[in-house]
C-alpha cells in the first residue's frame, strides 16, 4: 500500500504547529525536509508513513499524540478534502465525500458510515493498525470523527459510544474521556464511534451551494486524473511493446499518445515512474517472453528486440536479472518441467 506525500507533509505541519521538531521526525524515517515533498509527487510506501507516525510520537514525547493531531488545524493541509467538506450541506454529505475522495491521499478510506435502527456508527479502519504508529493513526482518525460530529452541532450527549481495539494506555484514561466522553470503551474488536443518527441530515451552517459545487467538481477532476494514472502507464507500455524492435524515445511515445513530451514526463513523474524505467521493464518483459520460446536462438531474440549485438543483449539481460540469457532460459525450463511433473 502507498500514501500520498500530502499525508507526510500534513503530519510534519502538525508537529510544527504543536511546537515539535518535524525535521527530526522526518529524518528518523528516512525523509529530508518537508519542502522536498511535493503534493503531486510519487506516493510513498505506507510503511514509511508508519515510521513517521511512530517518530512523531517519539519526538513529541506524548504517547497519545494522536489525540492532539486529530484536532490540529494543520489537518487543513488536506486541501481538496477540506474545501469540499467545509461547505458541504450535511454531515451525511461530508462522510460520503470523505469516502469518495479519500483515494486522493490513500489507497482506501479509513472511515465507513454504518446505519441501523439503533443509530449511526463510524467504523474506523486506519491505514496502519498495529504498534505505536497504528495507535497514533487510530487516535487521529477517531478524534477527527468526533470533531466532525461536533461540526454538525453535536454535543457530548450525541456521542453514544467510542470503542478502541486495545486496552486503555497507561495513565491516559482522563485524556481519552476528555476527547471522547465517558462512554469510551477499550479492549473491543474494532474502533468505532456511535452517535445520534439525527445529526446526519442537520443542515450545516457553513454550507455554500456554489462553493460546494465548485469544490466538488475540482475534487472529481482530481480523482479522475488519479484514476487515469494506471491507464496512462498501460498506454505507454502498449506503445513501447508494439514498437519493438524500435525503442521509442520519450518524445516519440508522447506523440503516439497525442501528448507533449513535457506533459508525459510530468504525468509519469506524478505517478512515481519514468519513461526510461517503463522502457526497461517492457524490454525485459519482451526478452523473457522471447526466451521462453525454446525454438528461438539468443541471437534471434537480441535481433527481435533491436539490440546491435548478442553481446550487448547479454550485458543488458544480466543487468536486469543477474543472469545470462542462457542460464535464465535453462532455469525457466527446469521450473516448467518440475511443474509439469507435479501436475501429472
Amino acid at each position: 500500500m502507498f500514501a500520498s506525500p500530502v499525508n507526510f507533509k500534513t503530519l510534519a505541519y502538525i508537529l510544527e504547529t504543536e511546537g515539535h521538531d518535524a525535521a527530526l521526525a522526518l529524518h528518523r524515517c528516512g525523509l529530508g525536509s518537508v519542502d522536498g515533498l511535493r503534493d503531486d509527487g510519487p506516493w510513498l510506501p505506507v510503511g514509511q508513513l508508519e515510521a513517521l507516525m511512530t517518530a512523531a510520537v517519539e519526538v513529541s514525547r506524548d504517547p497519545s499524540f494522536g489525540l492532539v493531531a486529530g484536532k490540529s488545524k494543520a489537518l487543513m493541509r488536506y486541501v481538496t478534502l477540506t474545501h469540499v467538506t467545509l461547505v458541504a450541506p450535511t454531515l451525511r454529505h461530508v462522510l460520503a465525500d470523505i469516502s469518495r475522495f479519500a483515494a486522493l491521499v490513500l489507497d482506501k478510506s479509513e472511515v465507513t458510515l454504518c446505519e441501523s435502527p439503533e443509530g449511526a456508527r463510524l467504523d474506523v479502519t486506519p491505514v496502519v493498525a498495529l504498534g505505536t504508529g497504528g495507535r497514533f493513526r487510530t487516535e487521529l482518525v477517531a478524534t477527527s470523527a468526533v470533531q466532525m460530529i461536533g461540526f454538525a452541532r453535536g454535543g457530548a450527549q450525541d456521542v453514544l459510544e467510542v470503542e478502541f481495539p486495545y486496552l486503555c494506555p497507561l495513565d491516559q484514561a482522563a485524556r481519552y474521556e476528555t476527547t471522547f466522553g465517558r462512554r469510551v470503551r477499550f479492549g473491543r474488536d474494532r474502533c468505532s464511534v456511535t452517535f445520534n443518527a439525527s445529526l446526519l441530515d442537520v443542515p450545516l451552517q457553513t454550507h455554500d451551494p456554489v462553493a460546494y459545487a465548485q469544490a466538488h467538481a475540482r475534487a472529481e477532476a482530481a480523482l479522475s486524473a488519479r484514476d487515469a494514472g494506471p491507464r496512462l502507464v498501460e498506454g505507454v507500455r502498449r506503445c513501447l511493446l508494439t514498437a519493438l524492435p524500435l525503442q521509442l524515445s520519450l518524445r516519440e511515445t508522447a506523440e503516439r499518445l497525442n501528448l507533449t513530451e513535457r506533459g508525459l514526463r510530468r504525468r509519469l513523474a506524478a505517478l512515481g515512474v519514468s519513461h526510461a524505467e517503463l522502457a526497461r521493464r517492457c524490454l525485459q518483459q519482451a526478452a523473457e517472453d522471447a526466451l521462453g520460446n525454446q525454438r528461438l536462438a539468443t541471437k534471434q531474440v537480441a535481433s527481435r528486440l533491436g539490440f546491435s549485438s548478442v553481446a550487448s543483449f547479454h550485458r543488458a539481460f544480466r543487468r536486469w536479472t543477474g543472469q545470462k540469457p542462457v542460464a535464465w532460459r535453462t532455469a525457466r525450463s527446469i521450473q516448467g518441467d518440475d511443474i509439469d511433473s507435479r501436475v501429472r
Side-chain angles (χ1 to χ4, degrees):
M1 292 179 65
F2 291 83
S4 164
V6 172
N7 296 284
F8 296 80
K9 294 183 72 171
T10 299
L11 184 45
Y13 286 129
I14 288 173
L15 283 165
E16 289 180 355
T17 300
E18 303 303 326
H20 303 296
D21 191 344
L24 177 58
L26 289 166
H27 175 73
R28 288 188 180 182
C29 65
L31 294 169
S33 70
V34 69
D35 295 331
L37 294 168
R38 299 192 338 266
D39 286 3
D40 61 347
W43 284 31
L44 302 171
V46 164
Q48 202 164 9
L49 179 60
E50 178 182 6
L52 180 57
M53 293 189 292
T54 300
V57 173
E58 294 170 350
V59 168
S60 68
R61 298 183 180 179
D62 181 353
S64 295
F65 188 58
L67 301 180
V68 177
K71 301 176 184 178
S72 176
K73 293 181 179 179
L75 290 174
M76 300 282 282
R77 282 289 308 172
Y78 289 105
V79 177
T80 303
L81 282 172
T82 300
H83 285 173
V84 175
T85 56
L86 279 181
V87 291
T90 64
L91 179 59
R92 186 184 298 279
H93 285 83
V94 169
L95 295 170
D97 288 336
I98 287 175
S99 179
R100 177 162 179 75
F101 300 124
L104 293 173
V105 292
L106 290 170
D107 284 336
K108 67 182 183 71
S109 175
E110 297 177 287
V111 178
T112 304
L113 173 62
C114 302
E115 293 185 79
S116 69
E118 290 74 36
R121 187 182 77 242
L122 294 176
D123 285 343
V124 176
T125 52
V127 67
V128 175
L130 301 176
T132 300
R135 184 183 142 198
F136 169 87
R137 191 70 184 186
T138 302
E139 291 174 353
L140 185 154
V141 178
T143 302
S144 297
V146 171
Q147 293 291 105
M148 285 190 288
I149 293 170
F151 189 55
R153 288 179 282 176
Q157 71 281 359
D158 292 302
V159 179
L160 307 180
E161 185 178 55
V162 179
E163 300 176 286
F164 287 96
Y166 45 76
L167 299 178
C168 182
L170 184 66
D171 299 327
Q172 298 297 308
R175 292 184 66 187
Y176 272 83
E177 285 194 13
T178 299
T179 301
F180 301 109
R182 292 185 177 180
R183 296 171 182 169
V184 59
R185 304 289 183 263
F186 295 92
R188 301 298 179 90
D189 60 357
R190 66 188 176 197
C191 178
S192 66
V193 178
T194 302
F195 64 100
N196 182 351
S198 67
L199 295 176
L200 284 169
D201 299 304
V202 172
L204 299 181
Q205 294 179 325
T206 55
H207 174 49
D208 182 327
V210 175
Y212 179 66
Q214 293 173 341
H216 205 276
R218 286 193 295 271
E220 287 287 0
L223 189 61
S224 296
R226 172 71 186 163
D227 291 342
R231 293 196 298 273
L232 175 64
V233 170
E234 183 55 36
V236 171
R237 290 184 69 258
R238 191 164 51 249
C239 285
L240 292 169
L241 287 170
T242 56
L244 291 173
L246 176 64
Q247 296 180 19
L248 299 180
S249 66
L250 174 64
R251 178 183 57 78
E252 290 168 333
T253 303
E255 288 175 353
R256 296 191 179 203
L257 293 172
N258 294 317
L259 295 169
T260 65
E261 181 178 351
R262 182 181 178 185
L264 178 57
R265 181 187 294 109
R266 185 175 63 250
R267 290 172 65 176
L268 289 176
L271 297 170
V273 70
S274 68
H275 180 270
E277 174 62 17
L278 289 175
R280 184 203 63 75
R281 292 180 194 174
C282 288
L283 204 54
Q284 180 179 344
Q285 177 189 328
E288 291 178 355
D289 290 345
L291 287 171
N293 183 348
Q294 298 291 332
R295 292 173 296 182
L296 289 176
T298 305
K299 183 177 181 179
Q300 291 175 291
V301 173
S303 178
R304 285 192 176 195
L305 298 179
F307 284 89
S308 58
S309 68
V310 175
S312 62
F313 172 58
H314 276 222
R315 287 194 296 272
F317 194 83
R318 190 166 189 171
R319 189 168 61 250
W320 300 334
T321 66
Q323 293 180 291
K324 295 180 179 180
V326 173
W328 185 91
R329 172 180 265 174
T330 301
R332 184 72 171 268
S333 178
I334 292 172
Q335 289 174 0
D337 292 342
D338 184 50
I339 291 171
D340 288 343
S341 66
R342 288 201 302 270
V343 171
R344 286 196 294 268

